Amino acid sequence: MADSSFDIVSKVERQEVDNALNQASREISQRYDFKNVGASIEWSGERIEMRANSEERVKAILDVFQSKLVKRGISLKALDAGEPQASGKEYKIFASLQEGISQENAKKVAKIIRDEGPKGVKAQVQGEELRVTSKSRDDLQTVIALIKGKDLDFAVQFVNYR
């Protein structure tokens, strides 16, 4: 019988982020506490730019956006938001999306699988993802549960389960 496998990846569905951003923008334009404060959220190249006339307001915009991401099933670990920066009379926060598993993070996950996972499970780094193989599908399920139980500092998804 052939080995079963799955990939551990860190990807963000761009369309879902776009939908969350549009929902947040709509809520900001309608909420009373954001009236006349120059509040906005929009794409700025590959980053998301939030701006308002005070530090508290721009943090509130970030909070609204984060709640929309959570409702759409996107992990907040994939969002890398900076600190509020004063720019003239307004404050801005730039946020970017983290995608792909870095080599060092992939090595950490592979070490967790080697040390704590079932015997006979192999993990190998392939670019920005990690391929996990085993003869037993039950062992793969155990590895998925193990990785989900760990508090990693990046978002992970499990794809190509075969």
Side-chain angles (χ1 to χ4, degrees), residues 23-110:
Q23 285 180 333
S25 178
R26 202 171 312 120
E27 181 173 324
I28 289 164
S29 69
Q30 293 173 349
R31 267 179 47 177
Y32 178 76
D33 56 337
F34 287 122
K35 292 277 189 250
N36 303 323
V37 295
S40 69
I41 179 171
E42 61 196 11
W43 285 105
S44 172
E46 281 298 304
R47 302 187 305 178
I48 297 161
E49 181 181 340
M50 294 158 259
R51 57 171 88 127
N53 68 356
S54 74
E55 193 172 336
E56 291 77 32
R57 288 282 169 248
V58 80
K59 285 181 177 178
I61 293 171
L62 177 61
D63 192 47
V64 168
F65 181 54
Q66 287 176 335
S67 71
K68 299 301 179 191
L69 286 175
V70 168
K71 283 182 184 171
R72 294 208 150 268
I74 297 171
S75 172
L76 292 182
K77 292 177 182 177
L79 183 72
D80 183 23
E83 289 299 309
Q85 303 166 338
S87 168
K89 289 185 177 178
E90 64 182 8
Y91 285 82
K92 294 181 180 180
I93 293 180
F94 291 102
S96 59
L97 299 170
Q98 307 293 86
E99 289 196 292
I101 300 175
S102 69
Q103 289 291 327
E104 61 191 46
N105 286 337
K107 287 177 183 172
K108 281 185 203 168
V109 173

Side-chain angles (χ1 to χ4, degrees), residues 56-162:
E56 291 77 32
R57 288 282 169 248
V58 80
K59 285 181 177 178
I61 293 171
L62 177 61
D63 192 47
V64 168
F65 181 54
Q66 287 176 335
S67 71
K68 299 301 179 191
L69 286 175
V70 168
K71 283 182 184 171
R72 294 208 150 268
I74 297 171
S75 172
L76 292 182
K77 292 177 182 177
L79 183 72
D80 183 23
E83 289 299 309
Q85 303 166 338
S87 168
K89 289 185 177 178
E90 64 182 8
Y91 285 82
K92 294 181 180 180
I93 293 180
F94 291 102
S96 59
L97 299 170
Q98 307 293 86
E99 289 196 292
I101 300 175
S102 69
Q103 289 291 327
E104 61 191 46
N105 286 337
K107 287 177 183 172
K108 281 185 203 168
V109 173
K111 184 172 178 4
I112 290 170
I113 292 170
R114 255 195 330 275
D115 295 347
E116 301 175 33
K119 299 286 177 241
V121 175
K122 293 188 267 320
Q124 62 196 48
V125 179
Q126 295 182 333
E128 292 190 333
E129 57 186 43
L130 192 70
R131 165 86 32 102
V132 180
T133 57
S134 173
K135 296 218 180 292
S136 163
R137 285 183 167 226
D138 291 344
D139 287 350
L140 292 181
Q141 293 287 345
T142 306
V143 169
I144 289 175
L146 173 71
I147 299 300
K148 280 184 180 176
K150 292 292 176 188
D151 185 27
L152 302 170
D153 55 351
F154 55 96
V156 294
Q157 293 84 33
F158 307 99
V159 296
N160 295 337
Y161 187 82
R162 27 171 119 50

